[in-house]
Amino acid sequence: ITEVRATNFRTARDVTLELGPIAAFIGEPGTGKSNMLAAIGALLSGEHQVRPGDVRRGRSDASIEATLADGTVVTIGQSDRLPGLVLIPARLRASELILPPADHPDALRCVEIFRRHLDDAPAPRIALVRALEQCAVEIRGVVFVIEEPELFLAPHGDRYLYRLFHRLTAAGNQVLYTTHSPRLLNVSRLEEIHLVSRDGDGVTDVEHLRPLDADDEFRASCEFDAERSELFFSRAAVLVEGMSEKQALPHVVRALGHDVDRAAISIIDCGGKGNLPLFIEICRRAHIPSVTVFDSDVRGHAQPSEELLRFNRRLRRAAGRGNYVEFNPDL
């Protein structure tokens, strides 16, 4: 699926999703992430119409249609051209794992694989990983729709599962999921991330992030780990040069009567002053409010280089007026 258009479906008044092989939907609880997966599930399930309870309140009709990779446009009830669907909801993670699919041979084959591993594995979370491993070898042309794949997994399990998603897509499948785990996101692949929000009227909006430039993509892949990727789940971020500021600032904030964790604010160690512009740009693209904290490094007893002064000016412009704190000469 390359594009989905949902109108008057649950919290979606008029939403268009641009999808690649992998799509991760992130956002605060209640914004409508699961509703986006439900729209795709309703389309691919083979049902002939949207259920009455799925129509937006006060609306008389709803529609869901999608464009496939070959340019074909499909709508609800058009079962002959639909790809297979494997739906793995969060509520089944401790038991069956997978919902019964529509009558599609590839999806039915996935059910057989999942049931066999559920019988053999010591726990459903292990069965999930083993079943997806086998699907990556044997299954083609299926859309895997997964709610919160990180449930019951350890951190290294999240990292492995993300690589497994790429094996599934390399085999010709598609993986769509909601998540609250930074280990299931890749900052060097911003195009995989879809930010889901909800306005004051309860209407869901989805923004597809744009990829970084090639040079920034390489730097981001080197600099971002799960701890730094936490910023995607933050209401705001404080970008700092290094560990000294990251350790000190929470104490300063607490002394002022606040708590950064309670406020869902992340203090991000950017790994050096030179990385701050990259992190500012990522926050800008992800619509995460940010404040940049940096040292001027201008000491009274020495004439600063023109390069240093130029870089400080660049940081101020990138952060924006009122969105930076500059320590003179340093913390």
Side-chain angles (χ1 to χ4, degrees), residues 5-308:
R5 296 166 294 281
T7 304
N8 297 332
F9 181 85
R10 298 190 182 179
T11 57
R13 179 178 293 165
D14 185 10
V15 171
T16 298
L17 306 176
E18 298 177 0
L19 303 176
I22 290 182
F25 294 88
I26 66 172
E28 293 193 13
T31 53
K33 301 184 298 296
S34 293
N35 289 345
M36 297 301 97
L37 296 191
I40 296 166
L43 176 70
L44 300 184
S45 66
E47 297 180 0
H48 294 292
Q49 59 185 3
V50 175
R51 297 174 181 174
D54 289 331
V55 179
R56 266 186 60 80
R57 186 180 306 171
R59 304 286 173 167
S60 59
D61 59 351
S63 66
I64 306 169
E65 66 175 23
T67 301
L68 305 184
D70 63 1
T72 302
V73 176
V74 296
T75 60
I76 283 186
Q78 186 177 347
S79 58
D80 55 330
R81 299 297 302 274
L82 296 176
L85 167 70
V86 170
L87 187 58
I88 306 175
R91 60 185 173 85
L92 295 183
R93 196 58 43 81
S95 54
E96 298 98 320
L97 293 179
I98 185 172
L99 282 176
D103 188 15
H104 189 287
D106 295 319
L108 291 172
R109 171 65 178 143
C110 287
V111 171
E112 295 176 4
I113 292 172
F114 270 79
R115 286 177 178 167
R116 182 163 64 251
H117 285 287
L118 274 169
D119 291 338
D120 296 340
R125 60 184 174 84
I126 297 175
L128 172 69
V129 174
R130 291 179 180 176
L132 290 176
E133 285 176 329
Q134 187 172 348
C135 288
V137 175
E138 299 182 12
I139 300 299
R140 303 288 184 274
V142 165
V143 179
F144 291 83
V145 176
I146 311 173
E147 284 187 312
E148 300 181 31
E150 66 270 20
L151 287 178
F152 307 127
L153 291 178
H156 56 273
D158 290 355
R159 292 191 294 269
Y160 177 70
L161 197 59
Y162 178 76
R163 296 196 298 273
L164 185 52
F165 288 167
H166 278 269
R167 284 164 54 188
L168 281 163
T169 60
N173 303 291
Q174 189 172 30
V175 181
L176 316 175
Y177 61 97
T178 63
T179 186
H180 293 279
S181 171
R183 288 174 289 272
L184 287 168
L185 303 178
N186 188 339
V187 73
S188 66
R189 297 177 183 265
L190 282 184
E191 67 276 10
E192 293 177 355
I193 301 176
H194 297 253
L195 295 178
V196 184
S197 59
R198 199 167 173 177
D199 65 18
D201 296 325
V203 177
T204 291
D205 182 53
V206 181
E207 178 163 358
H208 184 195
L209 299 192
R210 296 182 293 110
L212 295 169
D213 297 334
D215 290 344
D216 286 342
E217 181 178 307
F218 177 76
R219 287 182 59 213
S221 66
C222 295
E223 298 296 341
F224 262 76
D225 54 16
E227 187 171 4
R228 288 170 177 164
S229 294
E230 173 190 308
L231 70 84
F232 288 111
F233 301 96
S234 305
R235 290 182 176 173
V238 180
L239 307 178
V240 301
E241 292 186 33
M243 190 54 67
S244 297
E245 295 89 346
K246 181 179 175 65
Q247 294 295 326
L249 287 182
H251 297 287
V252 174
V253 174
R254 279 197 293 273
L256 294 172
H258 303 284
D259 189 297
V260 290
D261 290 328
R262 187 177 187 278
I265 295 172
S266 292
I267 298 178
I268 304 296
D269 160 21
C270 297
K273 187 174 181 178
N275 286 331
L276 287 171
L278 173 63
F279 281 73
I280 293 170
E281 174 63 15
I282 290 170
C283 285
R284 186 182 67 80
R285 294 195 184 200
H287 301 290
I288 301 165
S290 69
V291 170
T292 302
V293 178
F294 66 98
D295 298 335
S296 73
D297 295 316
V298 177
R299 290 168 171 79
H301 60 274
Q303 179 66 29
S305 68
E306 181 57 34
E307 181 181 6
L308 172 61

